[in-house]
Amino acid sequence: MADTPPLIARAAGHADRTALIAGADRLDYRGLLDASARAAAALLAGADDLREARVCFLAPPGPPHVITQWGIWRAGGVAVPLATSHPPAELAFVLRDARPAAAVASPERAGDLAPLAEAAGVRFLTTDDLLAAPPAGLPAVGSDRRAMMVYTSGTTGRPKGVVTTHAALAAQVASLVRAWGWTPDDRTLLVLPLHHVHGIVNVLSCALWAGAACELAPRFDPEATWDRLGSGELTVFMAVPTVYRRLIAAWEDAPPGRRRAWSEGAARLRLMVSGSAALPVSVMDRWRDLTGHTLLERYGMTELGMALSNPLDGERRPGFVGTPLPGVEVRLVDEAGREVPPGAPGEIEVRGPTVFLEYWGHPEATGAAFRDGWFRTGDMAVIEDGACRILGRTSVDIIKTGGYKVSALEIEEVLRTHPAVTECAVVGVSDPEWGERVCVAVETAGGAPTLEELQAWARERLAPYKLPRDLRTVPRLPRNAMGKVLKPEVAALFAGP
Ligand code: MLC
Ligand code: AMP
């Protein structure tokens, strides 16, 4: 099986075990292999190999999503998951940028994707079409081939596709399986979206690599999640800090009997993990009160999978993200790329087999992201008593809100297309629920629309950027003597509740 993607090659060894659970549907590993072979045959449509052609797919979390992902891999294609929360303009952007050979949607989302695929001249299939195909011969797919492309924002331009090979994906998953002790007896619950690595790699792919079971919730719902945690059937759970906050709020609102059942069931899990954004110590403490669990915090990035983690066994220090995961090299450097002395702050750089291949269609951005073979994360950290503490980002223009990365510059570009907007500034402001919330200050010219009109205009165009109720007009943005907008001072305008 040397030429089968490692995740899929392993599945044969787990044949009769349950792989996926969604509501009343269950699929074992043999069923997943059979169904994904059919999906691959449908995508190939008589060709011998997709040869790294991209396939975009839009399907809520559930067996058809995973079957499509595996089918694309088995046909030799590159899986490009689309965000189920994105409006047509964003889906159309990815269809243009990825230049896919095919687009796939679940039947209930076909009405959203089919017209966009048609406009882009891209072959369209539903997940039902994939499942109905008869099996066919499948190509050999070596580990050095491109496997996945996940879109992420940066400080320049529109979002970029982060391309990961099968080897890198396997390295990311194998590292986490080892570090966090996944076994076939594990059972996890996915509540995160499947267009980002937290859901794709840490939850879904780790479970399937280990031969464990993954329950897929259609979306995050605090009460339904508590009911599953409270069942005592789960062993592993992972989420972003905003999800833990929402769970804490739901627990506080629940009657005493439910609280008790939820807490007792949750206490029986073996591992609960937080990441994608800084975990506030207050959330960590309250979660321990409710469940007895000290959340394991780790640090990662779309380009890397996970890089740093607190230990499975041993002290998990609040405010720290721990030490390098197996197979991952991490160093802290100054602006010139020199390693900083112990205890001094520096930018995190990462090297090793887990690192991505390229930004799709952006060779110059790919080149700029590396220094001497090390990937420059743009995150600042300090090492104290052997463990890493994240200090923040090198760019104020990257915002993390609800676990999603958002580019301030990209939002500003859109806002400047409004005829009455003369200048604007987008900032991330510390927020107890969202980690950071996206705040916008706008200068307008004469004949400007009302604030409500401007907010409505912005919301319509900026839905994927979690745009803000916090859009305000200001007579003049804070600027320095050179006329440069001072973002910390803009952020100060929004500070407080
Ligand atoms: C939603 N709302 C927000 C908001 N998001 N308000 C402010 N800021 C935000 N960021 C508002 C909506 O407008 C709406 O308001 C209400 O909240 C509910 O909206 P929703 O869209 O239904 O939100 P919900 O589905 O509840 O989403 C919250 C969430 C979601 C936390 C479940 O954001 C989520 O799944 N985040 C995880 C993202 C993720 O997986 N990141 C990992 C990236 S990988 P109203 O008024 O209309 O009710 C990565 C690498 C690594 O980072 O290390 O893992
Ligand atoms: P993304 O580009 O969406 O993959 O987001 C990656 C970014 O999330 C990192 O560069 C960090 O800024 C942030 N991040 C991930 N995990 C943590 C964490 N535990 N603490 C603080 N920031 C984190």
Side-chain angles (χ1 to χ4, degrees):
M1 303 275 265
D3 283 336
T4 303
L7 188 61
I8 293 164
R10 296 176 57 87
H14 310 305
D16 294 326
R17 300 191 67 92
T18 299
L20 304 172
I21 303 164
D25 292 344
R26 271 169 189 263
L27 195 63
D28 63 19
Y29 281 86
R30 184 175 292 121
L32 180 53
L33 283 171
D34 287 348
S36 57
R38 287 172 187 279
L43 290 167
L44 285 166
D48 63 340
D49 189 333
L50 288 185
R51 295 198 168 75
E52 300 189 8
R54 278 76 51 214
V55 179
C56 297
F57 62 117
L58 180 67
H65 181 109
V66 186
I67 290 164
T68 305
Q69 182 197 49
W70 281 35
I72 295 167
W73 287 339
R74 300 184 78 185
V78 176
V80 187
L82 298 171
T84 53
S85 53
H86 278 184
E90 295 307 305
L91 301 175
F93 166 76
V94 177
L95 281 187
R96 275 197 310 276
D97 189 76
R99 289 180 281 110
V104 179
S106 53
E108 73 276 19
R109 298 304 303 265
D112 299 313
L113 197 60
L116 301 176
E118 192 184 341
V122 172
R123 177 180 170 224
F124 178 78
L125 301 98
T126 67
T127 50
D128 284 354
D129 297 332
L130 299 195
L131 291 168
L138 299 180
V141 179
S143 281
D144 56 341
R145 283 173 49 163
R146 291 173 179 80
M148 188 165 82
M149 191 149 105
V150 167
Y151 277 79
T152 188
S153 292
T155 50
T156 53
R158 298 280 278 136
K160 290 189 258 302
V162 173
V163 177
T164 310
T165 62
H166 284 286
L169 208 51
Q172 292 175 8
V173 173
S175 172
L176 291 184
V177 167
R178 189 170 139 208
W180 297 344
W182 281 90
T183 77
D185 293 329
D186 278 317
R187 178 157 167 172
T188 192
L189 171 70
L190 173 89
V191 298
L192 297 170
L194 279 176
H195 65 287
H196 280 304
V197 297
H198 198 160
I200 302 168
V201 173
N202 299 22
V203 183
L204 178 67
S205 302
C206 281
L208 297 180
W209 179 280
C214 183
E215 294 185 20
L216 302 122
R219 62 192 171 78
F220 170 62
D221 174 84
E223 296 216 342
T225 303
W226 265 122
D227 284 342
R228 292 308 302 142
L229 294 173
S231 72
E233 292 171 357
L234 303 177
T235 63
V236 175
F237 182 73
M238 303 189 193
V240 301
T242 302
V243 162
Y244 285 108
R245 275 205 85 93
R246 291 265 183 102
L247 289 171
I248 290 168
W251 190 97
E252 312 279 8
D253 286 346
R258 267 192 117 183
R259 287 181 175 182
R260 203 172 320 110
W262 285 349
S263 290
E264 283 172 10
R268 299 221 286 277
L269 274 75
R270 70 167 185 86
L271 174 65
M272 300 186 114
V273 180
S274 173
S276 302
L279 174 66
V281 175
S282 59
V283 174
M284 191 172 183
D285 287 347
R286 189 68 186 131
W287 193 254
R288 193 188 296 110
D289 295 342
L290 302 193
T291 65
H293 281 277
T294 302
L295 288 169
L296 183 157
E297 184 172 8
R298 83 330 174 257
Y299 159 89
M301 205 169 173
T302 305
E303 288 86 339
L304 308 167
M306 300 302 111
L308 295 155
S309 172
N310 274 283
L312 180 64
D313 302 308
E315 191 198 359
R316 299 176 189 166
R317 286 166 70 191
F320 284 76
V321 292
T323 54
L325 280 154
V328 181
E329 281 181 86
V330 174
R331 67 177 194 180
L332 300 185
V333 298
D334 64 17
E335 280 174 8
R338 288 181 302 247
E339 244 179 287
V340 297
E347 181 182 350
I348 303 176
E349 291 191 342
V350 177
R351 189 168 72 172
T354 55
V355 177
F356 77 123
L357 181 69
E358 62 183 351
Y359 293 115
W360 178 247
H362 292 279
E364 48 330 299
T366 309
F370 288 87
R371 174 160 43 197
D372 304 330
W374 291 81
F375 174 69
R376 310 165 69 172
T377 63
D379 290 306
M380 297 294 292
V382 61
I383 296 175
E384 289 169 0
D385 295 331
C388 219
R389 184 161 63 84
I390 306 285
L391 299 171
R393 284 174 291 275
T394 53
S395 169
V396 290
D397 291 320
I398 292 293
I399 301 169
K400 260 277 155 135
T401 182
Y404 284 114
K405 192 189 226 183
V406 164
S407 160
L409 301 184
E410 209 184 324
I411 299 179
E412 289 165 5
E413 272 172 37
V414 175
L415 290 167
R416 288 194 195 101
T417 65
H418 191 291
V421 171
T422 49
E423 188 47 291
C424 62
V426 173
V427 290
V429 175
S430 176
D431 182 88
E433 180 164 9
W434 300 103
E436 288 178 294
R437 73 182 192 282
V438 180
C439 294
V440 183
V442 176
E443 284 177 2
T444 51
T450 65
L451 180 61
E452 289 69 29
E453 281 164 354
L454 198 56
Q455 284 171 333
W457 180 91
R459 248 202 303 283
E460 199 178 300
R461 280 156 189 83
L462 292 165
Y465 306 100
K466 307 297 169 196
L467 189 83
R469 273 132 254 297
D470 271 333
L471 186 150
R472 299 186 197 164
T473 51
V474 290
R476 190 166 160 74
L477 289 163
R479 287 183 166 89
N480 67 12
M482 311 291 288
K484 184 175 178 305
V485 173
L486 297 166
K487 290 227 166 168
E489 299 190 13
V490 176
L493 300 175
F494 294 91

